Amino acid sequence: MINQFRKLNPINLILLLAYTFFMRIAIFYELPSQLNFDFLEPFARLLINVDLDDALSPATNIFFAGAIVFIQALIFNRVINNHNLLAKPNFLPGLMYVTGTSLFMPFMVLNPALITNFLLIWIIDKFLKLNKSTNSITTVFDIGMIIGVGTLIYFPFMSMLLMIFLALLLFRSFNWREWIAGIVGFVTIFFFLAVFYYWNDNIVSFYQIWRPLGSKFPSVFKINYNDYLVLIPVTVIIILASLQLRENFFRSFISTRKGFQLLFFMFIVAGASFYLKPNFRTWHFLLCVPPGAVLLAYYFSNAKVRWFYETLFVLFVLSVQYFLFV
């Protein structure tokens, strides 16, 4: 499986599509009785008030979620290959993205985090282009606007604003205009939203949007550890990938090193941003999948002992399926 996806073979498109729905066998086998899908935050419903709560049957909801994951995997695969983050272009980023979006049942249904992953992949592409641009003010402004749109869909996406400053520190020498451009792009989206609230004599409600920013980071977590045993093989692969990345770190291109540093920080920021949503769900951590998938792909792209990495991947997939069914 890994050797097959190490090649840019067109047949991998068919294999990846089949794999996407194979990883969703468990949820198709035991369909939920009802699935709700809110594709916008409540404060954005004033702009677009479309009720999709009961528009899709559970089977249709899961099917469309699988189709979206497949499309995202192809886009994500292209972005990573275009920026040469792996040893050579291959289909491993797409394979790992599909695997990462299949870890938990809540990942497999339509949800706001899944939709915003389109935007996350887009800004990853734009971040990685920063070091190739002579004047990145426009790019940073666009990133700010994309983050603003993503915040309308899922409020914790706003945490990606922090990534603008981290990316500028990594890829650019200091230019105050670039640092301001991202904020201006973000504020532009919410300026128009504020105007719309004002036109509807509801400006007081606009101020309530920002209340979660005053929330304290939770000090106590209620976790059922049995639900997260599936992360053990993921952790093992990430540790192996980190060791491999460390070994090759100073032999890599500077742009590649900075790219992996950027994705590491993005993984942390995406995971920690759950506190911006008081009633967050497990699917929030779909935001961690794109940066995490690159690290998994890096390991399988550079691993040398074939029997070991092929067996490790099979065990990984089997463990995911086992915990989904039990």
Side-chain angles (χ1 to χ4, degrees), residues 21 24 27-37 52-66 105 108-110:
F21 286 95
R24 283 155 174 72
I27 196 167
F28 277 113
Y29 178 76
E30 191 174 349
L31 284 172
S33 58
Q34 184 179 2
L35 289 173
N36 296 328
F37 172 43
L52 293 178
D53 285 354
D54 302 313
L56 301 175
S57 67
T60 306
N61 183 305
I62 295 164
F63 174 81
F64 278 119
M105 286 286 192
M108 300 184 191
V109 301
L110 290 175

Side-chain angles (χ1 to χ4, degrees), residues 5-25:
F5 278 82
R6 278 181 167 184
K7 308 166 190 172
L8 276 179
N9 192 326
I11 198 172
N12 287 344
L13 293 172
I14 300 172
L15 294 175
L16 187 63
L17 179 61
Y19 179 74
T20 301
F21 286 95
F22 165 75
M23 294 300 287
R24 283 155 174 72
I25 288 176

Side-chain angles (χ1 to χ4, degrees), residues 175-317:
N175 181 337
W176 69 269
R177 292 180 180 86
E178 293 175 350
W179 284 64
I180 295 296
I183 299 296
V184 172
F186 179 83
V187 169
T188 299
I189 298 296
F190 279 88
F191 171 77
F192 287 112
L193 182 65
V195 170
F196 201 79
Y197 267 79
Y198 179 76
W199 281 347
N200 287 272
D201 295 323
N202 204 15
I203 194 66
V204 175
S205 297
F206 178 78
Y207 300 128
Q208 302 301 315
I209 296 173
W210 313 104
R211 290 184 65 184
L213 295 178
S215 303
K216 294 182 179 179
F217 197 86
S219 57
V220 178
F221 300 95
K222 294 180 181 179
I223 300 174
N224 184 355
Y225 292 99
N226 291 332
D227 293 340
Y228 299 95
L229 291 176
V230 70
L231 294 178
I232 293 175
V234 180
T235 305
V236 170
I237 297 172
I238 287 179
I239 291 172
L240 292 173
S242 301
L243 294 173
Q244 201 168 63
L245 187 61
R246 180 186 174 189
E247 182 181 342
N248 299 329
F249 192 73
F250 292 106
R251 287 182 282 176
S252 305
F253 292 111
I254 294 175
S255 59
T256 303
R257 286 185 238 161
K258 290 182 177 181
F260 275 103
Q261 289 174 324
L262 174 79
L263 292 169
F264 169 77
F265 288 122
M266 182 174 285
F267 183 88
I268 300 298
V269 170
S273 64
F274 72 88
Y275 84 96
L276 292 175
K277 190 81 170 174
N279 57 337
F280 85 98
R281 300 289 186 266
T282 302
W283 47 251
H284 166 86
F285 296 101
L286 275 169
L287 296 176
C288 299
V289 171
V294 181
L295 198 55
L296 297 179
Y298 182 84
Y299 169 72
F300 285 111
S301 181
N302 291 277
K304 304 297 183 186
V305 184
R306 181 174 179 179
W307 70 265
F308 180 76
Y309 64 71
E310 293 282 7
T311 304
L312 183 61
F313 180 70
V314 169
L315 292 175
F316 179 25
V317 172

Side-chain angles (χ1 to χ4, degrees), residues 134-135 137 168 172-180:
T134 54
N135 184 1
I137 293 177
L168 289 173
R172 308 286 299 176
S173 56
F174 180 76
N175 181 337
W176 69 269
R177 292 180 180 86
E178 293 175 350
W179 284 64
I180 295 296

